[in-house]
Amino acid sequence: MTAHAAGASRSLFSVAGLTTRYGAIDAVRAVDLEVGQGEIVAVLGPNGAGKSTILHSIMGLVRPAAGTIVFDGRDITALDTEGTVRLGVGLVPERRRLFKNLSVRDNLRLGAAARRGRGDKAADEQLLFELFPILRERMDQLAGFLSGGEAQQLAIARAIMGAPRLLLLDEPSLGLAPILVEAVFNLIQGLRGRGYTILIVEQNAYQVLEFADRAYILRNGRIAMQGTAQELREEDSLFSAYLGLGGSQPACDTAGAPAPGR
Ligand code: ATP
């Protein structure tokens, strides 16, 4: 299995020996991961595996007990959330966390406050209208009245308006109907080749392995497997690694199992 960023892409972001605790619980244990410039890298795992905790540790929302987090050659382990955002790390949080009483336009404006002069704002607005045409129609609507799929689009669009150099996505498929999940994943794929570097955490393993470059499988806070998406798609033991079961593939309706949609 490939342990490092594929191809010749320069490492933009890495985590080494990350351990994060909540009281006596080790939610994340000795995790190493790397994201190359322009890559889409996934951290996949069932409920409670520690996926969000990795993202929260990166964003300075929770303090790691051990390990280092490096972004663009700089150690950001001890940096607070504001400092991390200022450097260009953008998070699309789980369950979106939109400003529901503000319009779509104002949510996007708030997202743009994180730009700090990076990138071309007009070009990013143009990209948003290309990728998310529905948001153009909804500009003056309150975010709280958007459908689940539209709200997820707005959450991603808001982060893009911050011109992130590294975009973190926390379970963007959560709570969405299957057809909307596919639409949101298509949008994420649409960011490929447009200069975005993406770290996505998801339960939806097989669908994400259709478009990610590489992935790490997280179980009980530890990396159980890693490789290119193609290697993992072809890996017979993915199900057992994912669920921590020995032997044969479990029933597909097991809670947290990767959707067998390939
Ligand atoms: P989910 O898909 O449910 O969000 P996850 O893989 O993102 O799962 P985490 O939310 O990172 O997992 O949780 C990892 C472990 O840490 C779980 O056992 C969870 O109960 C625990 N945990 C998460 N947040 C806290 C907290 N604030 N206080 C105490 N324990 C927590």
Side-chain angles (χ1 to χ4, degrees):
M1 291 275 161
T2 312
H4 300 290
S9 72
R10 178 180 82 89
S11 175
L12 177 67
F13 175 78
S14 64
V15 159
L18 182 72
T19 296
T20 302
R21 302 193 173 104
Y22 299 110
I25 299 171
D26 279 3
V28 169
R29 298 185 247 186
V31 162
D32 297 337
L33 60 86
E34 189 172 5
V35 186
Q37 180 80 49
E39 273 195 306
I40 301 182
V41 173
V43 175
L44 305 169
N47 229 325
K51 304 180 298 298
S52 296
T53 301
I54 291 177
L55 297 189
H56 293 171
S57 305
I58 295 167
M59 292 306 298
L61 293 164
V62 54
R63 278 278 153 244
T68 51
I69 303 170
V70 173
F71 175 63
D72 199 19
R74 176 173 170 177
D75 186 336
I76 62 164
T77 318
L79 205 58
D80 62 11
T81 307
E82 197 190 333
T84 305
V85 170
R86 193 177 299 140
L87 283 181
V89 182
L91 172 68
V92 178
E94 189 175 325
R95 298 189 188 280
R96 331 206 220 282
R97 311 271 180 227
L98 295 171
F99 297 99
K100 292 186 178 168
N101 293 326
L102 297 182
S103 66
V104 167
R105 188 187 308 280
D106 285 343
N107 270 275
L108 292 174
R109 274 191 190 135
L110 285 170
R115 301 184 73 87
R116 312 266 167 187
R118 275 190 307 275
D120 177 343
K121 194 171 167 200
D124 282 347
E125 276 166 353
Q126 193 53 42
L127 173 67
L128 286 194
F129 292 141
E130 240 172 72
L131 290 174
F132 309 92
I134 192 73
L135 294 184
R136 184 174 227 161
E137 290 170 30
R138 302 270 190 272
M139 273 300 182
D140 296 311
Q141 190 170 317
L142 291 184
F145 290 119
L146 295 177
S147 70
E150 291 165 356
Q152 187 60 64
Q153 290 185 42
L154 176 56
I156 297 172
R158 181 179 61 180
I160 286 175
M161 283 313 294
R165 298 171 62 210
L166 173 67
L167 180 60
L168 309 177
L169 294 159
D170 195 346
E171 302 226 24
S173 76
L174 196 71
L176 299 184
I179 191 162
L180 295 175
V181 171
E182 205 178 320
V184 165
F185 286 161
N186 283 338
L187 284 173
I188 296 167
Q189 289 181 66
L191 297 175
R192 182 196 295 287
R194 297 181 192 256
Y196 289 91
T197 302
I198 295 174
L199 179 63
I200 175 173
V201 313
E202 261 292 341
Q203 291 193 33
N204 227 323
Y206 282 121
Q207 267 177 290
V208 171
L209 288 175
E210 293 295 332
F211 65 85
D213 295 304
R214 292 183 304 111
Y216 299 84
I217 310 299
L218 192 69
R219 185 164 56 80
N220 294 333
R222 287 188 189 279
I223 304 288
M225 286 175 87
Q226 60 184 291
T228 65
Q230 187 179 346
E231 285 170 336
L232 290 167
R233 279 198 306 268
E234 291 166 359
E235 180 54 59
D236 289 339
S237 59
L238 179 60
F239 257 95
S240 45
Y242 200 88
L243 294 169
L245 303 172
S248 60
Q249 185 170 306
C252 292
D253 63 352
T254 306
R262 49 176 176 166

